[in-house]
Amino acid sequence: MPVKSVTVRVPAKVNLQLSVGPREADGFHNVVTVFQAISIYDDVKVTLSEPKSGVSISITGDQTHGVPTDDSNLAIKATALLAKEYDLEIDAHIEIKKSIPVAGGMAGGSADAAATIIAIDYLYSLGMNREEMSEIAAKLGSDVPFMLNGGTAIGTGHGDQLTSALSRGTYHWVLALSSVGLSTPAVYAECDRLRSESEISQPQTNELLMQALLAADPKSVGKNLVNDLQAAACSLRPALRLVLDVGQEYGALGALVSGSGPTVAFLVSDEEAALDLAVALTASGVVGSVARAYGPVAGAKVLT
Ligand code: ATP
């Protein structure tokens, strides 16, 4: 009997490096970014429905606020693109159990798009290879190809051209979450505004970070975290500076705003340090909520 339903589990990401080049003529920026997939997951369940019923969506879990349930949801966009490219009639219900914070700089929407590509490939037996999946993914958003891959990877271009990074060891993170997200385009625009008087060169891979990852040296990784969008995120949300200070005061090895924020990611030495910092951040009263995670973990995959 044909399979009618599948659940794909997909992780969140943090950016260990996000170096942003000048604004190009097309409005985009070239970046060099180092992604790490971390152990906070959305589960995307896709169930085939009656012919001609179209695609519907429901959102459950603890991060539902602000997730669109119309055609602008990236999971629905993924089905529309696959239907077009593979000449399919897709009739399905998508249920997203969301744990990845929305608009938090952790690529939650991109993760759901990646999971949907895998689910549709599975249910419609498309037999897509990795390259075909990555091509579709890149059309949906710069972060989507990485969410298929997971692990640790360097993204260039718009962040969608991936090469694996040589990384060893497990890294422990404490994440300070905000209840209100930041818009990625607004953060890029603020970054351009703040840098309007400066000469901006093309971004380069941070070799010290790469060496630290290869050496499985969390102290050195912590020292070499970089995010060119951090100043812009802090300018739009000044309270983030306080969050960064509190975490560092309590012994984090490194701290940075993740992606376009407002999530702040703290790297710590082990699980015990993660628990201590999570308690300290919660007690400080400067953060909305706190989560703990480790990475790298695998990318989107079918739950068996
Ligand atoms: P990135 O790190 O890739 O910049 P982000 O984590 O900042 O992404 P998302 O969680 O992907 O941001 O949400 C950004 C916006 O995308 C949301 O405000 C929402 O309107 C829209 N969106 C579309 N589909 C989804 C989805 N499946 N889950 C969450 N947000 C979605």
Side-chain angles (χ1 to χ4, degrees):
M1 221 174 82
V3 185
K4 292 202 69 173
S5 176
V6 68
T7 300
V8 178
R9 176 162 288 180
V10 62
K13 59 87 179 160
V14 289
N15 300 78
L16 312 185
Q17 175 185 357
L18 180 51
S19 297
V20 178
R23 187 175 187 273
E24 302 291 332
D26 62 3
F28 281 94
H29 301 74
N30 287 322
V31 302
V32 170
T33 188
V34 178
F35 295 108
Q36 186 179 91
I38 60 166
S39 61
I40 295 177
Y41 300 95
D42 280 359
D43 283 347
V44 178
K45 181 178 182 187
V46 182
T47 307
L48 296 182
S49 52
E50 293 297 310
K52 306 277 176 213
S53 60
V55 177
S56 56
I57 193 159
S58 58
I59 317 291
T60 64
D62 32 276
Q63 300 286 338
T64 58
H65 186 71
V67 182
T69 51
D70 59 12
D71 292 355
S72 68
N73 193 297
L74 276 163
I76 297 196
K77 283 192 175 169
T79 61
L81 185 60
L82 286 165
K84 187 168 149 235
E85 303 265 334
Y86 287 82
D87 200 15
L88 294 174
E89 284 276 345
I90 298 181
D91 298 296
H93 181 71
I94 304 171
E95 183 188 332
I96 303 178
K97 188 166 169 234
K98 256 200 120 45
S99 299
I100 304 176
V102 181
M106 298 174 79
S110 303
D112 298 341
T116 304
I117 294 171
I118 290 187
I120 296 296
D121 172 64
Y122 186 92
L123 291 171
Y124 285 84
S125 307
L126 299 181
M128 295 167 79
N129 60 32
R130 279 279 149 187
E131 213 171 287
E132 289 163 333
M133 285 191 186
S134 287
E135 244 172 64
I136 294 281
K139 289 183 185 166
L140 291 161
S142 309
D143 290 346
V144 184
F146 174 70
M147 307 322 294
L148 289 170
N149 275 41
T152 308
I154 304 170
T156 54
H158 295 160
D160 54 336
Q161 288 157 36
L162 298 177
T163 45
S164 286
L166 295 172
S167 172
R168 295 190 302 129
T170 296
Y171 297 86
H172 296 272
W173 297 94
V174 177
L175 303 154
L177 311 173
S178 300
S179 48
V180 182
L182 273 174
S183 138
T184 302
V187 175
Y188 270 96
E190 180 66 359
C191 176
D192 290 336
R193 193 186 69 80
L194 293 175
R195 305 196 306 189
S196 60
E197 303 293 313
S198 320
E199 189 69 37
I200 307 299
S201 49
Q202 288 299 328
Q204 307 291 332
T205 311
N206 178 349
E207 289 306 330
L208 292 175
L209 174 65
M210 301 319 294
Q211 283 166 23
L213 287 168
L214 184 60
D217 180 350
K219 260 193 199 150
S220 178
V221 170
K223 276 196 207 124
N224 289 293
L225 298 169
V226 271
N227 182 0
D228 285 350
L229 292 181
Q230 182 158 308
C234 289
S235 164
L236 295 176
R237 188 70 62 76
L240 293 181
R241 286 189 214 285
L242 196 57
V243 178
L244 285 159
D245 289 348
V246 171
Q248 265 167 337
E249 234 169 73
Y250 282 96
L253 302 175
L256 87 175
V257 168
S258 178
S260 55
T263 299
V264 177
F266 298 97
L267 182 64
V268 293
S269 50
D270 52 32
E271 251 175 278
E272 204 182 318
L275 188 56
D276 288 348
L277 180 56
V279 170
L281 280 167
T282 307
S284 75
V286 298
V287 300
S289 59
V290 177
R292 284 176 288 146
Y294 60 87
V297 297
K301 60 170 189 271
V302 169
L303 279 187
T304 46

